Amino acid sequence: MLFALCALIHSSSAAISSFSYVPLGSNPTLYQPGLEPIMHLDQHTFYDTVFRQNHAFVVEFYADWCGHCRAFAPYYRDFAYYVKEWNPIVTVAAINCADSFNAQVCSENGITYYPILKYFPRTARSPSQAQNLETKHSAEEIREAVMRMVANEYSVAKYPDWPNFSHIIVDAHSTYGHLWEGIPESANYLAIIFEVYDGIGARFMLDLVSRSNVLGARRALSNSPLVQMLRILQFPTVALFKRDHQQALYMEMYGNRQILYSNSTYSDLDRVILNDAHDSQALQTLRSTTMPPLMTTTQISIVDCNIYPDSCRQLYFVSETDMLKAMRMALYDEVIRTPGYVKGENFTALADFITLLSNHFPVLSFSNDARSRRTISTVLRNSERARMIFAHLREYLEQRRDDNLVSVDDYKRQFENVERVFASPFPVSSSWQHCKGTTPVFRGYTCGLWTTFHALTVHAYIDTIKENGIDALKPLKAIQSWVRSFFGCEDCKNHFMNMTTKMFPMTERRVRYPHDMMTYLWRAHNIVNNRLHGDPTEDPQFLKMQFPPPFLCPICHSGGQFSRRQVSFRRKILTQISKV
């Protein structure tokens, strides 16, 4: 009932998307509208597009900042090209859940991490009817999974305008006309694939569905009497027939040559039909389905840091804007994605992280005066107001410690109210500064997040250095717990937790002294950089190198070991903060 009401509200202003549709919202997309066979959805178009059309959908729910989403994107793109001919049956689509414009639709679809891939059957009229798919790094495996879902849906629904996925059954009473059952009358050609088991035939039929007005497709098993009649000895084999002509025009093994996102069988069938047909409409249909995919390239200007170290040094700084943007996303966007209540260890994680922010989020920027050789501090006004918000949220959560839970809706209202009281210090509409990627799909939120984590450990060290009995693990554990409970990139979170619990455990043995809270996170980050170096998600200007690189701190490199100079450099760079 609730969803029906929501759908009614959405329908008053919703619209149907298309492959050329440019989604509303402010965030960049991982795919190019109009240039790739992936339909973009948003809050405005999702409901009418997915739930009010007569075909199935595969939808990726992603976040443009999510490293795993960026790594998955090439495979999803390849999958979309593989199945672009399936569009009359199933459409490939995507929606960016990191864009606040789409927050409601992503919440209603139960998206709690990224990326999530869902199959919406043709008859789906609500999010609950979707089926999850694995986000495998294999376009072929995704294609096979979707093919099985389409075939299973047909086995139940038997849609008359879908291909007849049933295997041909031939008996003593069968005629040549029986082979053409379910084939549109406009189609003068029929391709039959003979397979050993229920496998590749469904994919073959889906690959040909966009040609259905000219070329029908069916499948038969290897034990069919037709096999003996046609003297087929190898499988899978494809035979092409013409209406009212019982002799095969073509008969070859299926897919003996791979051609980009297709294979030789389809081009062979097109060639035979084009040579045989005299119908201009048939020719046009076939030609329109064999167009190669559109490919685009973007020219990126990169500064070589080995040749121009001074230019590169200017790219590396700590930005107040980046940290405030990241914390707003971390405490608002990430948290309110939680369904219903933040409770148990998730509540504790949120309360501890906000406490860390309220105590140690940097509100001063330090610089050296060359003349007086004195350190000058500058107040970061926006950060100062943000820290007041953190303090209010800390008190708000402390009042609920006994219950160990808070309603997500109540938390959301509290955050928005306090944000208004302190004049919205988070520059949500501003561009990333140091964390701005070479293109919009690089860096951004995750860069701002790591920057803030590092700044928190440095400022926690500075703020507590004169105290006795410091728990150096406490700030790190607060960061770790927030990542475990709220970080939306599922694969990234799993890597982080594996690193901090197994590969490079966050324990008292490694974090024994106050300065260890700084050096531990730097070591951990360099482990991540080493793992991701050369990864497709790596920004070509900001390579995943061991930090600090020589062009930033030449004197820091002494046998690859952490030195006092490295610690001093890290303190310096993380306390000289560029103001909003």
Side-chain angles (χ1 to χ4, degrees), residues 257-269:
R257 299 192 317 279
Q258 191 69 23
I259 304 174
L260 196 57
Y261 294 102
S262 184
N263 65 58
S264 60
T265 296
Y266 304 126
S267 58
D268 288 348
L269 292 174

Side-chain angles (χ1 to χ4, degrees), residues 119 278 284 543:
Y119 175 82
H278 302 287
Q284 181 62 35
L543 299 177

Side-chain angles (χ1 to χ4, degrees), residues 278-488:
H278 302 287
D279 183 349
S280 60
Q281 185 176 357
L283 295 174
Q284 181 62 35
T285 300
L286 288 171
R287 285 170 179 158
S288 66
T289 59
T290 55
M291 291 175 62
L294 290 168
M295 306 298 287
T296 61
T297 58
T298 302
Q299 192 69 30
I300 300 174
S301 178
I302 303 298
V303 178
D304 189 327
C305 295
N306 294 319
I307 300 175
Y308 305 105
D310 291 341
S311 298
C312 277
R313 274 194 288 272
Q314 297 175 20
L315 301 175
Y316 286 82
F317 58 94
V318 175
S319 162
E320 181 188 18
T321 294
D322 291 349
M323 291 194 291
L324 289 174
K325 280 174 67 72
M327 286 305 96
R328 212 279 183 174
M329 293 175 68
L331 297 183
Y332 186 80
D333 297 13
E334 298 272 49
V335 174
I336 66 171
R337 193 177 57 250
T338 307
Y341 291 86
V342 177
K343 56 187 177 181
E345 66 177 14
N346 292 343
F347 177 90
T348 302
L350 179 60
D352 289 349
F353 186 63
I354 287 178
T355 297
L356 175 63
L357 289 169
S358 67
N359 290 335
H360 303 299
F361 189 79
V363 294
L364 295 174
S365 176
F366 298 94
S367 59
N368 295 321
D369 184 6
R371 290 184 178 180
S372 64
R373 296 184 179 181
R374 296 176 60 185
T375 299
I376 300 174
S377 63
T378 304
V379 177
L380 304 171
R381 297 298 180 190
N382 281 48
S383 294
E384 197 173 49
R385 299 205 313 275
R387 194 151 155 178
M388 292 178 183
I389 291 175
F390 303 148
H392 275 261
L393 291 175
R394 179 193 63 201
E395 294 303 317
Y396 164 77
L397 293 175
E398 283 298 325
Q399 294 170 9
R400 290 154 178 79
R401 279 278 191 183
D402 291 341
D403 296 330
N404 211 30
L405 66 82
V406 63
S407 159
V408 171
D409 289 340
D410 192 38
Y411 172 84
K412 180 182 177 183
R413 283 192 296 270
Q414 181 70 17
F415 189 102
E416 291 171 351
N417 289 338
V418 177
E419 188 178 34
R420 279 193 295 270
V421 168
F422 290 99
S424 302
F426 304 104
V428 292
S429 59
S430 297
S431 299
W432 298 101
Q433 295 187 352
H434 160 66
C435 289
K436 182 178 181 180
T438 308
T439 68
V441 299
F442 291 123
R443 293 165 65 76
Y445 171 51
T446 50
C447 167
L449 201 60
W450 271 104
T451 300
T452 309
F453 290 165
H454 286 300
L456 285 170
T457 60
V458 168
H459 285 266
Y461 169 74
I462 294 171
D463 295 342
T464 59
I465 192 170
K466 295 181 180 180
E467 297 178 9
N468 294 322
I470 299 171
D471 183 355
L473 267 174
K474 192 173 182 180
L476 294 171
K477 288 292 185 181
I479 291 169
Q480 182 192 50
S481 296
W482 179 89
V483 171
R484 183 200 64 229
S485 295
F486 299 106
F487 192 35

Side-chain angles (χ1 to χ4, degrees), residues 49 61 158 162 254 269 280 333 392 418 453 508 513 540 551:
T49 302
F61 296 83
K158 303 289 185 187
W162 276 23
Y254 170 77
L269 292 174
S280 60
D333 297 13
H392 275 261
V418 177
F453 290 165
E508 291 182 357
Y513 304 108
F551 67 83

Side-chain angles (χ1 to χ4, degrees), residues 154-155 158 163-169 205 217-220:
Y154 175 82
S155 68
K158 303 289 185 187
N164 182 359
F165 290 106
S166 303
H167 288 96
I168 295 172
I169 297 176
M205 297 174 71
R218 296 202 65 186
R219 59 178 178 163

Side-chain angles (χ1 to χ4, degrees), residues 513-528:
Y513 304 108
H515 68 267
D516 290 339
M517 71 175 81
M518 293 187 294
T519 58
Y520 173 85
L521 203 60
W522 283 102
R523 290 177 186 270
H525 200 165
N526 277 334
I527 291 173
V528 175

